[in-house]
């Protein structure tokens, strides 16, 4: 049962969402949803309920006989095929599993195309494995240059590209890359496409039918509003990734059949990427978070998030014109066609950590994104750090006004 957005998207439902969120009831102004969102009560209940069952019944004995229910919810969330999703510890582990397994499969360091805004935890394995890394340039609107990508993938005189890796929404700003466009180009040239969707799943409609990626990594704790310590990996069944050997195996992913022999799990394809051990409580919490998002409707969530983010960006631009306040600079691309719920900014002459601390002292949560997290992009823009305020559908325009008042007090001179 999807709810319908009004003039202020989801406006009449926000009081319900906030009533169902303990962090909102406590008065916390939480603009760190790109780090970890506030969990709704149903998610907390799902986690605690399972722990209480384990306490009385035992861990092995407490697993839900219908353990596929969370997989079904995730398949519905991203329009995935049955058996194409694996439970993993987090998005980084999901990405690593594909990247290192593919490197082993190819048998040499990869040639990888990636974005200037790619997250450090993705670039570091490229460096660690000896991969040749090429950065896809941006077009005049601050978006990936898809024409360049197409030409590069067919350039015979240059090194053959083994993999394209893109973060759908960068960690340090509001850009939304055209993942569907990247996927179509990669598919037409037969190059595998690995999509980091940890900031987009739960914030935007993400369909692997519309975005032809070969694998997708995502986490629970960000815009899905689930618990920390769990995530998921999608692997397209007909992809090269579905057939290659995983870099790690255990009794979940393989069967030991002789002293020197084993059989890898083949069907369903994605389960070969899982560990035998997991936090079942967190897995069920993730399932509750996905079901909650599906009830609201991800399209409705996206509409409200973008409404609030635009309200925040416009307000920060207005604040920059207020006399007696240090100059606030919104660092998100101003002419990109679509922007996410992540709003990044700096203040002339003021350290980002100082702003973070001042807001925190007023009960307002933001985060700081440092150069080392997105070094290509931050180096190009000569930035050491940005303040990151990331909104979600349970936030309000009143909270944004409280945030702005606190920021003004800290910057007055």
């Amino acid at each position: 049962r999807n709810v319908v957005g009004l003039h202020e998207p989801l406006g009449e439902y926000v009081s319900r969402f906030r009533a169902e969120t303990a962090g909102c009831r406590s008065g916390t102004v939480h603009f760190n949803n790109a780090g970890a969102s506030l969990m709704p009560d149903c998610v907390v209940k799902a986690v605690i309920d399972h722990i209480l069952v384990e306490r009385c019944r035992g861990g092995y004995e407490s697993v839900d006989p219908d353990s596929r229910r969370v997989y079904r919810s995730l398949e519905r969330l991203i329009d995935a095929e049955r058996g194409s999703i694996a439970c993993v510890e987090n998005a980084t582990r999901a990405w690593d599993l594909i990247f290192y397994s593919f490197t082993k499969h190819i048998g040499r360091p990869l040639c990888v195309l990636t974005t200037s805004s790619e997250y450090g935890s993705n670039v570091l394995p490229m460096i660690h494995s000896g991969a040749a890394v090429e950065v896809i340039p941006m077009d005049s609107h601050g978006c990936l240059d898809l024409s360049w990508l197409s030409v590069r993938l067919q350039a015979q005189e240059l090194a053959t590209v083994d993999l394209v890796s893109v973060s759908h929404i960068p960690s340090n700003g509001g850009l939304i890359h055209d993942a569907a466009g990247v996927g179509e180009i990669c598919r037409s040239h037969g190059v595998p496409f690995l999509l980091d969707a940890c900031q987009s799943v739960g914030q935007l409609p993400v369909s692997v039918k519309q975005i032809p990626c070969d694998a997708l990594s995502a986490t629970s704790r960000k815009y899905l509003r689930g618990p920390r310590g769990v995530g998921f990996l999608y692997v397209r069944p007909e992809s090269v990734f579905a057939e290659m050997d995983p870099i790690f195996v255990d009794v979940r992913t393989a069967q030991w059949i002789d002293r020197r022999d084993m059989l890898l799990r083949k069907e369903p394809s994605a389960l070969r990427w899982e560990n035998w051990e997991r936090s079942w409580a967190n897995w069920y919490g993730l399932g509750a978070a996905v079901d909650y998002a599906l009830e609201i409707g991800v399209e409705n969530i996206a509409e409200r998030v973008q409404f609030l983010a635009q309200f925040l960006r416009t307000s920060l631009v207005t604040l920059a014109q207020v006399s007696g306040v240090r100059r606030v600079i919104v660092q998100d691309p101003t002419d990109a066609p679509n922007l996410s719920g992540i709003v990044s900014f700096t203040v002339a002459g003021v350290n980002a950590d100082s702003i973070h601390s001042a807001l925190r002292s007023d009960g307002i949560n933001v985060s700081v994104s440092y150069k080392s997290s997105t070094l290509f992009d931050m180096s190009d823009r000569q930035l050491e750090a940005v303040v990151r305020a990331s909104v979600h559908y349970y936030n309000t325009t009143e909270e944004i006004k409280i945030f702005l008042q606190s920021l003004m007090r800290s910057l007055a001179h």
Side-chain angles (χ1 to χ4, degrees):
R1 53 191 176 93
N2 287 0
V3 292
V4 180
L6 302 175
H7 175 66
E8 179 176 323
L10 293 174
E12 64 179 13
Y13 300 94
V14 173
S15 60
R16 171 199 142 190
F17 304 146
R18 294 178 65 79
E20 294 172 348
T21 304
C24 295
R25 297 195 301 270
S26 72
T28 299
V29 176
H30 190 73
F31 290 169
N32 191 16
N33 296 286
S37 287
L38 298 177
M39 291 182 288
D41 295 343
C42 63
V43 171
V44 177
K45 184 177 186 298
V47 174
I48 293 175
D49 282 355
H50 186 76
I51 290 173
L52 293 176
V53 172
E54 286 189 345
R55 180 182 68 173
C56 297
R57 190 181 298 169
Y60 283 24
E61 293 76 14
S62 301
V63 176
D64 187 339
D66 184 18
S67 59
R68 263 204 52 79
R69 62 185 173 89
V70 180
Y71 295 101
R72 288 195 298 269
S73 294
L74 287 166
E75 288 162 3
R76 182 182 164 203
L77 178 71
I78 65 168
D79 285 336
E81 305 88 341
R82 178 182 171 89
S84 60
I85 286 177
C87 169
V88 293
E89 299 93 322
N90 51 62
T92 296
R93 177 57 61 195
W95 193 97
D96 285 347
L97 284 169
I98 294 298
F99 180 81
Y100 281 108
S101 298
F102 191 49
T103 300
K104 180 173 180 277
H105 178 77
I106 294 295
R108 55 168 171 74
L110 303 177
C111 177
V112 183
L113 299 188
T114 192
T115 69
S116 62
S117 54
E118 196 70 2
Y119 188 54
S121 288
N122 297 348
V123 177
L124 289 171
M126 300 177 197
I127 297 171
H128 178 247
S129 66
V133 181
E134 297 182 31
V135 176
I136 304 167
M138 310 298 269
D139 63 19
S140 58
H141 300 292
C143 303
L144 286 179
D145 190 334
L146 298 184
S147 297
W148 184 94
L149 175 62
S150 183
V151 171
R152 175 62 185 87
L153 292 185
Q154 60 188 342
Q156 300 298 320
E157 71 278 10
L158 300 175
T160 299
V161 176
D162 299 302
L163 178 70
V164 174
S165 173
V166 170
S167 291
H168 196 180
I169 295 178
S171 172
N172 67 329
L175 192 62
I176 303 173
H177 288 306
D178 183 359
V182 173
E184 291 293 346
I185 292 171
C186 289
R187 176 169 289 187
S188 69
H189 291 89
V191 177
F193 173 33
L194 174 55
L195 179 66
D196 179 344
C198 73
Q199 295 289 4
S200 55
V201 169
Q203 178 182 175
L204 304 174
V206 175
S207 167
V208 295
K209 292 179 180 177
Q210 301 297 321
I211 301 175
C213 56
D214 294 280
L216 175 152
S217 59
T219 189
S220 163
R221 64 182 162 88
K222 296 180 183 290
Y223 279 89
L224 277 177
R225 302 186 65 195
R228 301 189 70 175
V230 66
F232 69 93
L233 169 66
Y234 163 78
V235 179
R236 187 176 296 279
E238 65 270 21
S239 166
V240 63
F241 297 153
E243 298 300 324
M244 67 187 183
D245 291 353
I247 192 73
F248 301 120
V249 296
D250 71 355
V251 294
R252 173 70 166 166
T253 57
Q255 181 184 4
W256 190 15
I257 60 173
D258 201 352
R259 287 182 177 272
R260 299 289 299 169
D261 202 5
M262 68 176 186
L263 288 175
L264 282 171
R265 178 186 287 275
K266 294 294 183 183
E267 197 65 37
S269 60
L271 296 189
R272 66 203 314 217
W273 302 101
E274 295 188 342
N275 290 323
W276 185 86
E277 179 58 34
R278 74 178 71 180
S279 167
W280 285 100
N282 285 346
W283 181 241
Y284 296 142
L286 169 57
V290 172
D291 291 342
Y292 193 78
L294 289 171
E295 177 192 348
I296 298 168
V298 181
E299 296 84 358
N300 297 324
I301 291 171
E303 186 180 5
R304 179 163 180 84
V305 167
Q306 291 176 358
F307 164 80
L308 290 170
Q310 183 57 37
F311 183 86
L312 176 54
R313 285 191 189 93
T314 302
S315 299
L316 285 170
V317 170
T318 302
L319 183 63
Q321 301 166 0
V322 174
S323 175
V325 176
R326 292 180 184 272
R327 190 161 66 96
V328 177
I329 307 165
V330 176
Q331 294 294 344
D332 301 328
T334 56
D335 54 354
N338 296 298
L339 292 174
S340 75
I342 300 175
V343 179
S344 63
F345 66 95
T346 55
V347 178
V350 182
N351 183 280
D353 289 316
S354 300
I355 299 170
H356 174 269
S357 297
L359 292 168
R360 185 69 177 271
S361 67
D362 282 345
I364 301 169
N365 296 340
V366 296
S367 60
V368 177
S369 185
Y370 298 99
K371 180 179 179 179
S372 58
S373 294
T374 47
L375 190 138
F376 293 146
D377 175 58
M378 301 279 269
S379 296
D380 290 345
R381 294 194 285 158
Q382 298 181 326
L383 294 170
E384 293 298 320
V386 295
V387 181
R388 185 180 72 176
S390 46
V391 295
H392 213 334
Y393 63 87
Y394 59 79
N395 292 127
T396 66
T397 54
E398 287 305 312
E399 287 184 314
I400 292 174
K401 293 173 184 176
I402 292 169
F403 161 85
L404 292 167
Q405 290 166 0
S406 174
L407 184 61
M408 285 182 65
R409 287 194 299 270
S410 68
L411 300 182
H413 63 277

